[in-house]
Amino acid sequence: MSTAYPAHFYDGLTSKPKEAFVRLREPDALEVEVSGSNGTNGDRFFWPLEHGGMEWERTVSTLRITFGEYPRRVIISRDKLFIATFVKHMQYAGRRGVYDRVLSLARKGPFFFLLGLIVLIVAGYFWVLPFTAERMALLLPLEVDRQIGNASFGSVMLGLDEDSARSVVLQRFGDELELTDKFDLRFHFVHSDQVNAFAMPGGDIVVFSGIVNGMEHHEQLAALLAHEATHVDERHSMRMMVRQMAGYLFLSMLLGDVNAVVAVLVENADNIRNMSYSRNLETDADQHGMERMAAAGVDPQGMVQLLELLEAETDEVPGALSFLSSHPLTEDRIAKAQANTTKNSGPFSTDPELERLFDSLKAK
């Protein structure tokens, strides 16, 4: 008679394990004897090892065998002798678990196994980790955006010629639109020939006179502010920062160096005006920006007009000085914006206050 080995049995109906004994029976069956309560005899049954509903996996110290559909019954054994006996039997039958297949691959081709492992690690570091980090950034409290924005805004504005009077007018224009309730948006008007604008984490939005001077309608300015407000509201800057520095941040958090994490985020926020957004984030900013415009009673066609203006400007303005250097204009972006106008239909009427404020910004 074959040797019986101790194990734990789960019947699939309750989470409480039962004491059991298992043994291999010829030709290909596993005998399971479940102990009864108070010393009484329990159930005894056989699991065909070649049955399609039988699966098994093992680690160094544990063997898990499952059988059946519902309820899915489970045997867990930590007996080293039984594990070795069972695994050897299944290997002869040509049915190996994942652990054993990987171990076999490593033994047969250690170089290729190591190479494959390195490829997986590198792929995870450069693709999986940034993708995951971008999603994880959304779990950070909104206060983190405000702290990073406030800490870096002063250095970002160094060397920029802000027009305080026009900033007040631009602030009134933005307040009229009521673009977000998550953050207090603060608008800044800067004298510069650069056709540019950018948004900081937490709510600071900087608009250059170069981009405003090319506008003909207040709806274009509303579109620009709605686009940048979406970057703030949807935390695009934070997501891109965390994505680009995912590897460094991961290592810093692994070492428990929280101060280094905050410091590097603040340092990289200084470069936010030159940070390039992904195609998806740009399309998202256009789409949600148009929704915000429609909610404020402004014709979303202004977004199409803004993009057409930028497309024309890009041939005349050096790339480093262009809004499009950090907000790339893809071929289908205008087409998507045009399609979105039908989803945000009016009627819309001209807002006299927005028009007056726009003319005031444009006045020499």
Side-chain angles (χ1 to χ4, degrees):
M1 179 179 289
S2 59
T3 305
Y5 301 93
H8 287 97
F9 172 73
Y10 295 82
D11 60 11
L13 300 175
T14 63
S15 60
K16 186 176 180 180
K18 297 179 181 179
E19 298 293 332
F21 287 91
V22 293
R23 58 166 58 92
L24 290 172
R25 289 290 194 181
E26 295 297 338
D28 287 300
L30 179 70
E31 179 184 348
V32 181
E33 182 178 354
V34 182
S35 302
S37 58
N38 299 323
T40 60
N41 293 329
D43 297 329
R44 175 180 295 179
F45 43 85
F46 294 86
W47 290 356
L49 296 181
E50 296 301 318
H51 192 281
M54 197 282 291
E55 297 176 357
W56 68 277
E57 295 297 339
R58 65 124 169 178
T59 63
V60 176
S61 59
T62 304
L63 172 66
R64 176 188 175 92
I65 308 171
T66 59
F67 188 84
E69 298 302 330
Y70 180 82
R72 192 85 164 146
R73 290 164 290 174
V74 178
I75 284 288
I76 294 181
S77 173
R78 293 182 175 83
D79 188 285
K80 294 182 179 179
L81 184 56
F82 175 69
I83 293 175
T85 303
F86 181 88
V87 170
K88 187 175 182 179
H89 181 92
M90 297 305 289
Q91 286 176 343
Y92 281 135
R95 297 187 63 180
R96 293 182 297 175
V98 175
Y99 176 90
D100 296 276
R101 289 196 294 269
V102 173
L103 191 60
S104 176
L105 179 63
R107 287 171 176 169
K108 290 181 179 179
F111 172 77
F112 293 103
F113 176 79
L114 181 60
L115 181 62
L117 186 61
I118 293 174
V119 170
L120 287 176
I121 294 174
V122 171
Y125 185 86
F126 286 102
W127 287 287
V128 178
L129 183 58
F131 177 83
T132 304
E134 183 180 338
R135 296 323 186 258
M136 291 294 292
L138 296 175
L139 301 179
L140 295 172
L142 297 179
E143 186 59 30
V144 173
D145 296 50
R146 299 186 184 97
Q147 290 177 351
I148 292 175
N150 291 338
S152 56
F153 181 71
S155 59
V156 169
M157 292 296 287
L158 286 176
L160 297 181
D161 180 18
E162 181 175 4
D163 186 327
S164 299
R166 279 185 168 82
S167 291
V168 172
V169 177
L170 185 63
Q171 184 71 47
R172 290 174 182 170
F173 188 100
D175 290 344
E176 285 285 322
L177 299 174
E178 298 181 355
L179 296 171
T180 178
D181 56 3
K182 287 185 184 177
F183 298 94
D184 294 325
L185 299 180
R186 298 170 297 278
F187 299 94
H188 309 269
F189 188 95
V190 169
H191 282 295
S192 173
D193 291 335
Q194 295 186 31
V195 180
N196 212 346
F198 62 89
M200 297 290 295
D204 286 293
I205 295 176
V206 180
V207 177
F208 290 67
S209 60
I211 196 170
V212 176
N213 291 340
M215 297 177 180
E216 297 181 357
H217 311 288
H218 72 274
E219 290 88 353
Q220 292 171 301
L221 179 58
L224 177 65
L225 299 190
H227 179 99
E228 294 300 323
T230 300
H231 282 318
V232 174
D233 196 70
E234 299 295 327
R235 312 179 75 181
H236 290 171
S237 298
M238 278 292 297
R239 288 162 61 178
M240 291 301 295
M241 288 169 58
V242 173
R243 182 185 180 90
Q244 292 179 9
M245 297 177 291
Y248 180 85
L249 295 176
F250 175 76
L251 293 176
S252 296
M253 288 186 288
L254 195 64
L255 297 173
D257 193 354
V258 179
N259 292 331
V261 172
V262 176
V264 76
L265 285 174
V266 171
E267 180 181 349
N268 279 268
D270 292 348
N271 302 319
I272 195 70
R273 57 186 289 187
N274 298 317
M275 182 178 292
S276 181
Y277 292 104
S278 68
R279 179 184 303 179
N280 289 338
L281 294 186
E282 282 303 292
T283 302
D284 189 57
D286 291 341
Q287 178 181 337
H288 289 296
M290 295 176 76
E291 293 171 359
R292 286 176 165 83
M293 293 173 68
V298 179
D299 189 351
Q301 184 66 31
M303 184 69 75
V304 179
Q305 296 171 349
L306 173 66
L307 296 177
E308 291 174 340
L309 167 67
L310 293 172
E311 185 181 42
E313 290 281 355
T314 191
D315 295 331
E316 302 177 11
V317 181
L321 303 180
S322 171
F323 177 84
L324 299 182
S325 65
S326 57
H327 299 67
L329 183 63
T330 58
E331 292 181 359
D332 62 347
R333 192 169 154 196
I334 294 178
K336 287 183 178 180
Q338 185 67 61
N340 282 331
T341 59
T342 60
K343 300 178 183 178
N344 300 282
S345 57
F348 301 100
S349 58
T350 300
D351 188 317
E353 179 63 11
L354 289 179
E355 193 167 24
R356 183 189 69 80
L357 293 170
F358 177 73
D359 291 339
S360 179
L361 285 174
K362 295 272 290 183
K364 301 296 182 182

